[in-house]
Structures are given as structure tokens and as C-alpha cells.
């Protein structure tokens, strides 16, 4: 519909919100931490919902760090230790109230230390102790780790350290000067590649447990700590050894080893401390002859005549035991001691009474809540002692007097019980009372209105007894609302009263819509796709799945469920390609009319790529090569915010380090870059981004901030840019549409400046009264010079710098642009011509010119109405050179580029398939060869379909590399030429250099 008006000034109508360009300050607004993994996040108004595997949330002030102390009498946490930015695996007292701390970290107490530090009694890091530890080329598992200290023992002035480490003199088991950390000449004859997992002093000898370079040949060593001489070395078969204890004249060795001796012990064995000989009569467990399995024992200790073991197992010595068991020291028979522990036990030691402390990655002991640390008596009863420090995973501890020092991953003291779901009030920086009871780990969350949807991770149940995977909860009270029973469901989002889930895979795949209030699946709304991503813009949903050369991407009307016409081509989605392998889209984000996609391409190697697709045309816009695999994306303030994990490497040991960065739409890096650190030890998660009107919310992260770490979720306030940017305009008769990248948030309105000359504002200076970065205007015919600036945030302050200035022509002030994409089809003597009208221009008629040579009109000149975009005629046999012009009351346009054809001869060639390689601003255009083609014409224009930039005749099937001028956008297509003439144009590529 065309709108005409006689108003002189612009009539401002707000349209839609677009992002602004800014570098937000990377300071989290949320000051709460969790005691476990955060895997999912959703936001609504000032509420943020998180999900994952945790049981408590607490203020950041209660964050204790990866090593912490608690009272052995009350369980109350001691003052926070020197905070490390990675997990702690080993703690050794220095004899003066301080501790040596080993693990996998880069900083501790604000001081750079690689995996080993000496923390003094006052909590400060010893400035004199600076060990130079590095990672070995490969650890025992074939990985490329960073230095990782897993065991420590002190002997006089020598500190022994073991793990995936090396110094200038040794690796795996090193001796350091306890005062300086300098390596000593310790000539122990350990097996090649030996890595010490645990060690302790046995009188005058150091007993060391570890594995050789293969990681499957465990060995126990007895070493003279003064001379380095090995008293004895005992191979333990296959598997691993992790711990040991001296009791009753026996050296009890624990691990996951399988004895190479027939009927020999596995997982737990008794050695002679003097000779290392194995007592073959003491065999609590043996290898299962059918499965060759052995229990996975991590810890062992002894109280009186009983040996206690912990680890990860469901049975021990043929008896059902949940991760802990006891063995008679004299006979090796498994006793009745059987506390049920729901997670791995990593360390254990006797307490002051007839009981023992256990540590690990558990939540309950004997049905009683005990998170990470517990005390159990010799009868198997859990004591009342409970450490008020809740940790994701405790790896080690050391008890002395009334203090227990524990190490592991991030720990939180106290806090509020929350089971896998929690919510925060951002305005008050407070945890909400919303506390649904969810016994499963939460993988995804979506919130819309009064309902919160959660995708739950459960073991796959049987078909006969389906288990809910997507459940709904009241957003105010947390009360359960409904659950979908199909265990193949994956949650994709919630919009406008409906939840969207994908069901099944491959042939049985469906995308379903569910009523949020009732949980009823809409029987009339479904189609045969099971995407992994679903993005919404207005009433359109854009879906993506695992993609092959046949594609699985498109648009769906969220109201009707019909699949829309938007279906980007394979080359638009994947401009970077390889001869074999399959791409898979892992993240997507919308910015204005452009969709940014991240995909991985798996062939011989896995690679990471990004592309951009125009939402209106489906054409590829540009390509970016990100440095790492991206798991989540968001658009905010003119920035493309990306998050993921840097993969394993020599520089970034496992777990992969999360990253959170921002780039401009053209791939230029932004200064916005919060420091990140690993959050989990065994189960790292991919960070997820949610962008709200005021914030950037990121889950699955820990900020590398010594003063106030944020574990699990962080919230960054969006910030305005100094000025709006990228002003663009389109016109239709008297209707003008302006859009720009706005200075949002923080700007309440924008000022429109319009002049009749460049830089002038004599026509109009008007506050739009709104913060939305787009408007429509009705204006009389003429040429206007337009700018937009953000109004001052405080009354009376000057407005920010303006956008770029553009010239806007309204009405008939000049001839229209030339038509584009002129093409011909010839069948015998019948000629059919088609073209595309110039956009946003009123055309009264088109004039077709035909001549016997280039640029000539000596054979025909035909006028057709401006409402047509094609013409058909029967022509006598000849060769014709044809072009077309647009006309209005102001005159005729320039001619379109000539095409030529031979009537009565062979068929015109087909359109080539075009692809583009390279990155901004330099590209190479490539195309498929067309049979019979003698040449190709490459056309490049500043607008779609135009050829005003270049029209080049090429003999081969590529052109370039060629550079696109900074700030320019080129629309490129290719035609084939044969003896019959010029064929139709290929699909069009958009190349941008900004």
C-alpha cells in the first residue's frame, strides 16, 4: 500500500529495536555463587533462572575457593584461604602453621604460581617459594595437559611433588627445595614416564604410588628420600594405584589395578613394607573372570584391625557396597560396614574418635545430606558433624587438631538449599524464594510469563515406563505444573504462551508446540524436523539442526506452524567448506536483519567457522573465522557476544578454559573481555548466553577475579555507546524508513537532524521521544541530508556525536535507477526477457532497446508499462544485443548492462553455482563450470542486482583475490556465455568490508 501526505515535517513512527555499539564494562551485577555446575540460564524482567547440578546458592562472600578449612568440632568454615583459580589436589603442612598446596592453577592469593605454592600461616603466599613447574610433553593418559600436582610429601628441607609435572632435572616425581622451590638433584630410578599419584613417609622411606608413561602399568616404590635410592619397586599388574596405608605390619595398596598373578588380589592388596612382596593369601577382591573388571578404589585408611576403602564402585569383594567398604586387616574378608554413599569417595582418614572422615563428590551418606565431607563411625552411622562448606568435589584433606583443610574444586559455605533450579532478583541482587524440588540435573531452561520450562537429564528409561524430560514449574511459587512423558524431548524455547520442543530423531523427528498453562501438545501445529536451535523474530522461528549437504534449516510461522519460504542455500550457510565431512550449527544469534551462525566442520579434523545470512533474502553476507569453538552467541549493543571453551592444548590443560568475548559484526575484536577460569574438574560445561533488554547473562562460567569470583552465572549490565551508528534509509514514494545501530540501553531518546545541504539541519531538528533505533517518516519530494544522535542522558547535557550522514531522495527528484538482473530465455524464435525493477522507485515505463552490436538500438525500441518486469516476443533469426531502461516523469535511467543472444540457434547456457572464499576485505569468487561456455561475466554492484561496481569477462571459473573497499558492500553474481549468448545470473553473494 502506498501512503501519500502533504505534511512538511517528518512524522515519526517507532519500528523495532536494533542493537547498539558498545563495550560494556565486564563487572557482574549478580553476587551469588553455587556449589555445583550451572548448565542453563533464562531471564524474564528482573528475574534470572538457572539450572544445573547444585544443591545450594550463597552470597559471593561465602565463596571459599578450591581449598578451604573447617572446624572438626563444629564444621563451621574458617576464614577464606588464599584463593586459587583452579582445583587443588594435594595439601601438605609446612610444620609452621602454613601449607604447601598443589593442584592445577595459575594464580593463588593474587600471585602467579603454576600448580604449586607455599601459603604461610597468615594466609599470604610465600614470595620466596617460586617453583618452576612445567607440563610434560604427554601425561600418562596421552593428553596435552598443563602442569598438574597430584601429590605432595615433605622430608626435612625437601618437598616432593608428583603428578603431570617436570622440572629442568626430572618429571613425574620431583624433589624441590622447601624454602625456594628450586629443583634438587634427586636421582630416583623410577620407571620411564612415572607419575606419582600419592606418597607418604614410612619411617625412613618415601612410599610412592603411581604409573609409568603408558598409564596402565601401576607401580609402588619405596625410596630413600635422602639419597634417592630405590629400596624396592613393585609392579601391580594393569590399571592404576592411587593410595596406601601402613597398618598392622602391612602396606595396604589401593587402586583399580588387576593383578597379573593368577588368583592374585585386585583393587586392594597387602605388601611387605620392607621388601614389597605381595601377600597372596590376603585377597579381599579378585578380578571377575568373565568381565575382567575390578573395583575403582581411590582412598584407603585403617582404624584398629579394620581397613576402610572408598572410591567409585557398586560392589566390593562380592558384596553390594555403595562407594565405601571395610575389610578385616588380618583375614582380608569384607565386613558388614556398608554406609550408602551416592557419589565417589576420593579421600579418607581417621578422625579423633572411633570414626573416619571421608571426602569426595557425594551429596548424601546413609540417606543423610552430607555434601563433599562427612564423618562416619565404625558402625557405619553418620555422625552429627557436618561441614558448612559445600563443595562440588573434594579431592583431598588434611586434619590437624581442630582444623580440617580440604581441597578440590570451588566450595561455598552455608547458603540456601536449592535443588538444581534457582532464581535471582537482579534489581535487589537477592535469591528468590522460588525453589522447585528437582532431583535431576537441568540441561536447559526457558521462561515465558507465569511458567518456567526445564529440560531434565535422566538416564534413558525403558519405552514401557517413560520418564519426564521436559517439566513445567510455576514461575512465582516453583510448584510443579506438568511434565511431558516422552524421554526423547529436547527443550528449544518458550514464546508467547507456548513451549517448543523437538521430539525424536531422523525419520520420526518432530517439532512440537505445547500450551504452557496446560502442557497440552497442539495437534495441529507440528512439522517433521527436530532442530537443535530455534530463534525467534516477531512471529517467525528460525530453526537449525545437524546439517548435511541436503540442509536442515529454515523458518516456521510460530502462529500457524507452516514452514516459510526462508531457506538459505547450502553455500550461504557454509561459505567455508571441505571436500568431505559434515557441518553442524552449534550457535546462532540475530542482529537486526542478519543472522550469525557458528558451525563446526568435521572431516579429518574438526574446525570452527562463522557465517552471516540475510534474513530477508537468505543470501550469505560475510564469513568470520573464530579462534575457538563457540557454544553460545548473543547480540547486544552492536556486539556479537560469543562463549565457548578453549580446547585441550599445551597452554590450556583440561578442563578446557571457558571464554567470553565480543566482536563487531565484521569480526573486529572488541575490548569487552571478562577474565575467565575453569569451573568444573570432571564435568566442564559449555557457557550459555542470554541477552535481555538490560543485561548479558552468562551461565557455566567462573570469573578469574581474586577478590570476588562468580561461580556458575554472571550478569553484565549492557552499556550505551558514545553514539548511534550505521544509519541507513529506504524510500517508497513519500515514505522514508530510517534504521541505525542505536546507543542502547541508557539512552531514552534520539534526535533526528535533517538539512537541505550536507551538514545542515534547517529542515528539521526533532527529538524522537523514544529509544528505538528505527522510524518511518512521510516527507514531500526532495533531497534531504539526514543524521541521528542520542539525546543527552541527563537533561541539559549535549547529545552524543551523530551517526554517519546519508542523502535521502524522496519523490521524483531524479530519474529512477536502471533495472537489474536482465536475463533472456530463447525457445526457437520466441524470446522471453525478464528484469528486476529498481527498488523503492516509481517507474512509469520500461524501454527495451535491441541492436546489432553492443550499445546499439538500431533493430528495436519497445516501451512497456512500469508495472511489468518482463516482455515476450517472436523475433526473426539474428544476433541481438539487448538492454533495458527505467523511466519516470524526471527522465530515463542509464541502461542496464547489455546481454546478447542468437535467435534460432542453440540454447543459452545455464546459471553457474557461485561460492566465495576469503575473509573481509579480500575475497575470491569461484563458480562451477558450465558445459559449452566460452566465457563468464562477473557482475558486481553497490545494490542488489546492479552492475555499477564492475562487469568483468573471465575465461576461467574464478576471479580474485579482490579487495572490497572499507565501508563498502558489493553484490556479486556470475553469468555464463556460449555461442548462443549470455545466460541467466547465478545466485547473488553479498560481500562486506567494515
Amino acid at each position: 500500500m502506498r501512503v501519500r501526505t502533504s505534511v512538511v515535517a517528518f512524522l515519526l513512527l517507532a519500528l523495532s529495536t536494533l542493537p547498539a555499539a558498545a563495550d560494556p564494562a565486564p563487572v557482574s551485577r549478580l553476587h551469588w555463587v553455587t556449589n555445583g555446575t550451572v548448565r542453563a540460564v533464562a531471564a524474564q524482567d528482573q528475574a534470572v533462572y538457572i539450572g544445573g547440578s547444585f544443591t545450594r546458592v550463597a552470597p559471593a562472600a561465602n565463596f571459599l575457593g578450591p581449598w578451604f578449612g573447617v572446624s572438626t568440632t563444629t564444621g563451621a568454615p574458617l576464614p577464606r584461604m588464599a584463593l586459587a583459580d583452579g582445583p587443588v589436589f594435594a595439601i601438605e603442612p609446612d610444620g609452621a602453621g602454613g601449607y604447601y598446596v598443589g593442584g592445577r592453577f595459575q594464580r593463588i592469593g593474587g600471585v602467579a604460581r603454576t600448580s604449586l605454592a607455599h601459603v604461610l600461616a597468615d594466609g599470604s603466599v610465600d614470595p620466596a617459594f617460586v617453583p618452576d613447574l612445567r607440563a610434560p610433553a604427554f601425561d600418562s593418559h596421552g593428553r596435552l595437559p598443563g602442569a598438574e600436582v597430584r601429590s605432595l610429601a615433605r622430608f626435612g628441607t625437601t618437598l616432593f611433588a608428583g603428578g603431570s609435572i617436570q622440572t629442568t632435572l626430572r618429571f613425574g616425581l620431583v624433589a624441590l627445595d622447601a624454602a625456594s622451590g628450586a629443583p634438587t638433584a634427586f636421582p630416583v630410578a623410577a620407571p620411564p614416564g612415572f607419575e606419582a599419584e600419592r606418597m607418604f613417609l614410612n619411617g625412613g622411606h618415601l612410599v610412592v604410588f603411581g604409573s609409568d608413561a603408558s598409564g596402565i602399568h601401576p607401580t609402588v616404590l619405596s625410596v630413600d628420600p635422602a639419597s634417592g635410592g630405590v629400596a624396592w619397586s613393585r609392579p601391580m599388574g594393569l590399571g592404576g594405584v592411587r593410595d596406601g596405608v601402613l597398618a598392622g605390619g602391612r602396606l595396604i595398596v589401593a587402586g583399580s589395578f588387576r593383578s597379573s598373578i593368577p588368583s592374585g588380589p585386585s583393587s586392594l592388596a597387602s605388601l611387605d613394607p620392607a621388601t614389597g612382596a605381595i601377600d597372596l593369601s590376603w585377597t579381599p577382591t579378585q578380578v571377575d573372570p568373565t568381565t575382567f573388571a575390578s573395583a575403582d578404589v581411590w582412598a584407603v585408611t585403617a582404624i584398629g584391625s579394620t581397613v576402610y576403602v572408598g572410591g567409585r564402585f557398586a560392589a566390593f569383594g562380592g558384596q553390594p557396597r555403595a562407594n565405601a567398604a571395610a575389610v578385616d586387616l588380618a583375614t582380608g574378608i569384607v565386613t558388614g560396614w556398608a554406609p550408602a554413599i551416592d557419589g565417589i569417595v576420593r579421600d579418607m582418614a581417621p578422625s579423633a574418635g572411633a570414626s573416619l572422615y571421608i571426602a569426595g563428590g557425594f551429596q548424601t551418606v546413609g540417606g543423610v545430606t552430607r555434601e563433599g565431607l562427612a564423618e562416619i563411625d565404625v558402625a557405619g552411622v553418620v555422625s552429627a558433624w557436618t561441614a558448612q562448606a559445600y563443595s562440588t568435589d573434594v579431592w583431598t584433606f588434611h586434619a590437624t587438631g581442630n582444623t580440617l583443610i580440604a581441597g578440590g574444586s570451588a566450595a561455598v559455605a552455608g547458603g540456601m538449599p536449592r535443588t538444581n533450579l534457582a532464581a535471582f532478583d537482579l534489581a535487589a541482587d537477592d535469591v528468590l524464594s522460588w525453589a522447585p524440588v528437582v532431583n535431576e540435573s537441568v540441561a536447559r531452561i526457558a521462561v515465558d510469563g507465569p511458567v518456567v520450562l526445564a529440560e531434565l537429564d535422566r538416564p534413558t528409561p525403558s519405552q514401557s515406563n517413560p520418564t519426564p524430560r521436559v517439566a513445567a514449574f510455576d514461575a512465582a511459587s516453583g510448584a510443579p505444573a506438568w511434565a511431558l512423558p516422552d524421554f526423547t524431548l529436547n527443550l528449544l524455547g518458550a514464546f508467547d504462551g507456548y513451549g517448543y520442543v523437538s521430539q525424536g530423531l531422523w525419520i520420526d523427528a518432530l517439532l512440537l508446540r505445547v500450551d504452557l498453562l496446560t502442557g497440552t501438545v497442539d495437534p495441529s501445529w507440528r512439522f517433521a524436523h527436530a532442530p537443535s536451535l530455534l530463534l525467534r523474530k516477531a512471529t517467525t522461528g528460525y530453526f537449525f539442526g545437524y546439517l548435511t549437504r541436503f540442509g536442515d534449516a529454515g523458518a516456521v510461522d510460530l502462529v500457524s506452524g507452516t514452514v516459510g519460504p526462508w531457506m538459505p542455500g547450502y553455500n550461504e550457510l557454509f561459505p567455508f567448506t571441505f571436500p568431505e565431512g559434515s557441518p553442524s550449527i552449534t550457535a546462532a544469534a540475530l542482529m537486526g536483519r542478519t543472522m550469525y551462525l557458528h558451525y563446526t566442520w568435521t572431516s579429518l579434523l574438526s574446525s570452527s567457522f562463522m557465517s552471516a545470512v540475510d534474513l530477508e533474502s537468505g543470501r550469505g553476507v560475510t564469513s568470520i573465522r573464530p579462534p575457538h569453538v563457540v557454544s553460545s552467541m548473543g547480540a547486544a549493543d552492536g556486539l556479537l557476544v560469543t562463549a565457548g571453551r578453549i580446547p585441550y592444548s599445551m597452554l590450556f590443560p583440561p578442563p578446557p578454559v571457558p571464554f567470553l568475548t565480543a566482536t563487531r559484526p565484521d569480526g573486529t575484536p572488541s575490548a569487552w573481555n571478562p577474565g575467565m577460569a575453569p569451573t568444573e574438574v570432571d564435568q566442564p560445561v559449555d557457557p550459555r548466553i542470554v541477552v535481555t533488554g538490560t543485561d548479558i547473562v552468562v551461565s557455566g562460567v567462573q570469573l578469574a577475579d581474586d577478590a570476588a569470583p562468580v561461580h556458575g552465572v554472571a550478569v553484565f549490565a549492557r552499556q550505551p555507546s558514545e553514539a548511534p551508528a550505521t544509519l541507513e534509509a529506504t524510500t517508497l514514494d513519500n515514505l522514508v524508513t530510517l534504521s541505525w545501530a542505536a546507543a542502547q540501553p541508557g539512552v531514552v531518546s534520539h534526535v533526528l537532524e535533517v538539512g537541505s545541504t550536507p551538514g545542515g539541519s534547517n529542515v528539521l531538528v526533532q527529538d524522537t521521544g523514544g529509544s528505538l533505533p528505527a522510524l518511518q517518516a512521510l516527507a514531500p519530494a526532495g533531497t534531504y541530508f539526514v543524521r541521528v544522535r542520542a539525546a543527552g542522558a541527563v537533561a541539559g547535557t549535549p547529545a552524543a556525536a551523530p551517526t554517519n550522514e546519508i542523502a535521502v531522495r524522496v519523490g521524483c527528484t531524479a530519474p529512477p535507477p536502471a533495472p537489474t538482473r536482465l536475463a533472456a530465455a530463447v525457445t526457437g524464435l520466441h524470446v522471453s526477457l525478464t528484469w528486476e525493477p529498481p527498488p523503492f522507485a516509481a517507474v512509469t515505463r520500461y524501454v527495451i532497446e535491441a541492436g546489432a552490436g553492443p550499445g546499439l538500438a538500431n533493430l528495436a525500441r519497445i516501451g512497456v508499462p512500469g508495472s511489468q518486469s518482463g516482455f515476450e516476443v517472436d523475433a526473426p533469426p539474428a544476433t541481438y544485443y539487448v538492454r533495458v531502461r527505467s523511466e519516470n516523469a524526471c527522465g530515463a535511467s542509464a541502461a542496464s548492462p547489455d546481454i546478447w543472444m542468437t535467435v534460432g540457434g542453440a540454447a543459452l547456457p545455464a546459471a553457474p553455482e557461485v561460492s566465495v572464499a576469503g575473509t573481509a576485505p579480500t575475497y575470491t569468487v569461484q563458480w562451477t563450470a558450465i558445459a559449452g561456455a566460452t566465457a563468464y561475466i562477473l557482475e558486481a554492484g553497490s545494490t542488489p542486482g546492479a552492475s555499477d561496481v564492475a562487469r568483468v569477462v573471465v575465461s576461467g571459473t574464478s576471479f580474485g583475490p579482490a579487495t572490497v573497499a572499507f565501508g563498502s558492500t558489493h553484490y556479486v553474481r556470475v553469468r555464463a556465455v556460449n555461442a548462443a549468448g549470455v545466460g541467466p545470473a547465478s545466485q547473488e553473494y553479498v560481500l562486506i568490508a567494515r
Side-chain angles (χ1 to χ4, degrees):
M1 180 179 69
R2 297 184 178 182
V3 180
R4 300 184 184 274
T5 181
S6 59
V7 294
V8 176
F10 280 71
L11 176 63
L12 305 177
L13 300 173
L15 288 180
S16 60
T17 301
L18 297 176
D23 289 335
V27 177
S28 178
R29 293 177 54 201
L30 189 65
H31 298 97
W32 290 77
V33 293
T34 67
N35 68 327
T37 304
V38 176
R39 301 176 59 193
V41 63
Q44 180 173 255
D45 300 324
Q46 285 296 309
V48 169
Y49 300 84
I50 62 172
S53 303
F54 52 84
T55 58
R56 292 179 186 267
V57 296
N62 291 15
F63 183 88
L64 301 178
W67 75 299
F68 55 93
V70 297
S71 168
T72 58
T73 55
T74 67
L78 303 181
R80 191 171 72 182
M81 305 293 188
L83 182 65
D85 63 1
V88 168
F89 301 139
I91 301 168
E92 177 72 12
D94 64 1
Y99 296 90
Y100 294 95
V101 182
R104 186 175 60 237
F105 48 80
Q106 297 299 315
R107 294 180 66 83
I108 182 168
V111 179
R113 290 291 186 272
T114 300
S115 301
L116 179 61
H118 181 205
V119 179
L120 302 175
D122 62 2
S124 65
V125 177
D126 185 353
F129 184 83
V130 188
D132 180 16
L133 296 184
R134 288 160 290 166
F138 287 90
D139 74 353
S140 60
H141 304 287
R143 301 172 301 185
L144 292 170
E148 182 175 289
V149 174
R150 296 193 286 269
S151 57
L152 292 171
R154 185 176 61 88
F155 178 76
T157 60
T158 302
L159 179 71
F160 295 94
S164 295
I165 54 175
Q166 71 175 15
T167 66
T168 55
L169 300 177
R170 293 200 57 78
F171 57 87
L173 174 62
V174 303
L176 307 172
D177 182 86
S180 67
T184 66
F186 183 68
V188 62
F194 181 83
E195 293 182 0
E197 297 290 336
R198 189 71 67 94
M199 63 181 100
F200 64 85
L201 288 168
N202 170 26
H205 283 80
L206 183 69
V207 182
V208 186
F209 309 88
S211 298
D212 65 1
S214 68
I216 61 172
H217 295 111
T219 303
V220 182
L221 302 175
S222 180
V223 181
D224 185 326
S227 67
V230 177
W232 53 262
S233 174
R234 174 58 58 192
M236 298 300 298
L238 297 175
V241 291
R242 293 197 178 91
D243 199 7
V245 64
L246 282 168
R250 298 178 182 270
L251 174 59
I252 307 300
V253 178
S256 58
F257 56 86
R258 301 185 297 278
S259 176
S260 58
I261 303 173
S263 301
S266 69
S267 300
L268 196 67
S270 173
L271 275 62
D272 185 324
T275 65
I278 298 177
D279 185 350
L280 296 180
S281 67
W282 200 88
T283 56
T285 62
Q286 295 183 359
V287 174
D288 187 319
T290 58
T291 63
F292 296 98
S294 59
D296 190 6
V297 179
W298 282 69
V300 61
T301 192
I303 298 177
S305 61
T306 304
V307 175
Y308 297 89
V309 297
R312 183 187 282 120
F313 48 81
F316 195 84
Q319 303 297 319
R321 296 291 186 268
N323 301 314
V327 175
D328 185 275
L329 180 61
T331 65
I333 297 174
V334 176
T335 73
W337 189 80
I341 303 172
D342 68 349
I344 186 172
V345 176
R346 298 191 183 277
D347 202 0
M348 52 179 27
S351 66
S355 59
L356 70 154
Y357 294 116
I358 64 170
F362 48 81
Q363 301 294 324
T364 63
V365 179
V368 180
T369 299
R370 293 289 186 270
E371 298 168 293
L373 284 169
E375 185 182 34
I376 312 173
D377 67 16
V378 294
V381 178
V382 181
S383 76
W385 181 84
T386 175
Q388 297 175 37
Y390 305 96
S391 177
T392 58
D393 209 353
V394 179
W395 283 68
T396 186
F397 64 86
H398 175 80
T400 175
N402 292 326
T403 301
L404 187 150
I405 306 296
S409 56
V412 179
M416 300 182 182
R418 292 292 184 270
T419 308
N420 298 324
L421 280 173
F424 302 96
D425 182 343
L426 281 183
D429 188 21
D430 197 6
V431 64
L432 295 174
S433 60
W434 189 79
V437 178
V438 180
N439 294 322
E440 300 81 31
S441 176
V442 176
R444 296 187 186 183
I445 298 177
V447 58
D448 184 64
V451 176
V452 175
L453 292 182
E455 179 187 323
L456 312 179
D457 263 357
R458 278 190 176 181
T460 304
S462 64
Q463 288 281 358
S464 60
N465 184 27
T467 303
R469 280 294 302 275
V470 175
F473 302 89
D474 187 280
S477 68
W482 49 263
L484 296 176
D486 192 325
F487 63 86
T488 62
L489 295 176
N490 293 299
L491 175 62
L492 298 181
F495 322 114
D496 302 327
Y498 293 97
Y500 296 86
V501 296
S502 61
Q503 177 187 41
L505 295 170
W506 305 109
I507 297 175
D508 298 326
L510 291 173
L511 178 62
L512 307 178
R513 183 171 76 169
V514 184
D515 187 289
L516 285 180
L517 296 180
T518 65
T520 304
V521 177
D522 187 342
S524 63
W525 196 105
R526 61 180 63 193
F527 65 100
H529 289 273
S532 57
L533 289 171
L534 181 66
L535 300 179
R536 181 187 71 157
K537 184 173 185 180
T539 59
T540 301
Y542 298 91
F543 62 88
F544 302 92
Y546 184 82
L547 302 175
T548 67
R549 287 192 177 273
F550 301 103
D552 186 15
V556 58
D557 189 301
L558 295 178
V559 177
S560 65
T562 57
V563 177
W566 188 83
M567 190 68 68
Y570 182 84
N571 290 332
E572 277 72 32
L573 290 175
F574 309 119
F576 293 111
T577 58
F578 293 93
E580 69 268 332
S582 298
S584 179
I585 290 180
T586 63
L590 292 169
M591 184 183 292
R593 57 178 282 174
T594 303
M595 177 177 290
Y596 293 87
L597 304 170
H598 175 272
Y599 63 98
T600 57
W601 190 286
T602 304
S603 53
L604 296 177
L605 297 174
S606 181
S607 300
S608 177
F609 307 93
M610 286 177 65
S611 59
V613 179
D614 186 277
L615 287 184
E616 295 183 11
S617 66
R619 291 192 296 264
V621 178
T622 189
S623 303
I624 304 170
R625 187 73 181 267
H628 305 296
V629 175
V630 173
S631 62
S632 185
M633 300 166 60
D637 311 317
L639 300 176
L640 190 64
V641 185
T642 58
R645 286 187 289 141
I646 302 172
Y648 298 134
S649 72
M650 289 290 290
L651 296 178
F652 302 102
V657 177
F659 67 86
L660 179 63
T661 59
T663 60
R664 303 294 180 188
D666 62 358
T668 304
S670 165
W672 190 85
N673 182 19
M676 305 292 289
T679 56
E680 303 305 322
V681 177
D682 282 343
Q683 296 179 333
V685 298
D686 291 323
R688 298 293 174 188
I689 295 172
V690 173
V691 177
T692 72
T694 57
D695 298 293
I696 302 171
V697 185
V698 188
S699 68
V701 301
Q702 176 177 323
L703 302 186
D705 184 343
D706 292 330
V710 177
H711 180 62
V713 62
V715 179
F716 304 103
R718 294 172 58 180
Q719 301 290 331
S721 63
E722 295 182 358
T726 320
L727 178 62
E728 297 177 343
T730 58
T731 59
L732 179 61
D733 287 348
N734 295 93
L735 180 65
V736 180
T737 300
L738 299 174
S739 63
W740 59 92
Q744 278 281 13
V747 174
V748 295
S749 66
H750 294 92
V751 175
L752 178 68
E753 299 177 350
V754 184
S756 58
T757 59
S761 56
N762 58 304
V763 175
L764 180 70
V765 176
Q766 183 170 333
D767 194 310
T768 67
S771 60
L772 300 179
L775 58 87
Q776 283 185 328
L778 294 171
T783 298
Y784 303 92
F785 297 88
V786 183
R787 301 162 301 283
V788 173
R789 65 176 77 229
V794 180
T797 60
T803 63
N804 55 300
E805 182 177 83
I806 59 173
V808 180
R809 293 177 175 83
V810 181
C812 176
T813 59
T820 57
R821 300 182 192 273
L822 176 62
V826 180
T827 305
L829 301 179
H830 188 77
V831 178
S832 176
L833 299 175
T834 59
W835 58 86
E836 286 193 8
F840 309 110
V843 178
T844 56
R845 75 166 187 165
Y846 296 99
V847 176
I848 302 167
E849 300 175 350
L856 298 179
N858 59 323
L859 298 180
R861 195 170 187 274
I862 304 169
V864 298
S867 58
Q868 294 183 202
S869 58
F871 179 73
E872 297 186 18
V873 67
D874 289 332
T879 296
Y880 299 88
Y881 291 82
V882 180
R883 70 213 63 85
V884 63
R885 302 176 188 267
S886 307
E887 286 187 356
N888 64 11
C890 294
S893 72
S896 67
D898 278 16
I899 62 171
W900 62 274
M901 74 208 76
T902 300
V903 177
L908 295 174
E913 289 289 330
V914 172
S915 62
V916 175
T919 56
T922 303
Y923 302 94
T924 297
V925 182
Q926 305 165 327
W927 55 87
T928 56
I930 301 299
T934 58
Y936 300 90
I937 298 175
L938 182 141
E939 301 174 347
S942 57
T943 57
S947 304
D948 55 317
V949 174
R951 195 165 190 262
V952 182
V953 177
V954 182
S955 60
T957 56
S958 67
F959 180 81
T963 300
V964 178
F966 182 79
S968 299
T969 300
H970 291 177
Y971 298 81
V972 178
R973 71 212 73 83
V974 176
R975 302 172 186 267
V977 180
N978 66 8
V982 180
S986 67
Q987 83 274 25
E988 192 167 65
Y989 256 89
V990 184
L991 306 181
I992 297 177
R994 291 182 182 173

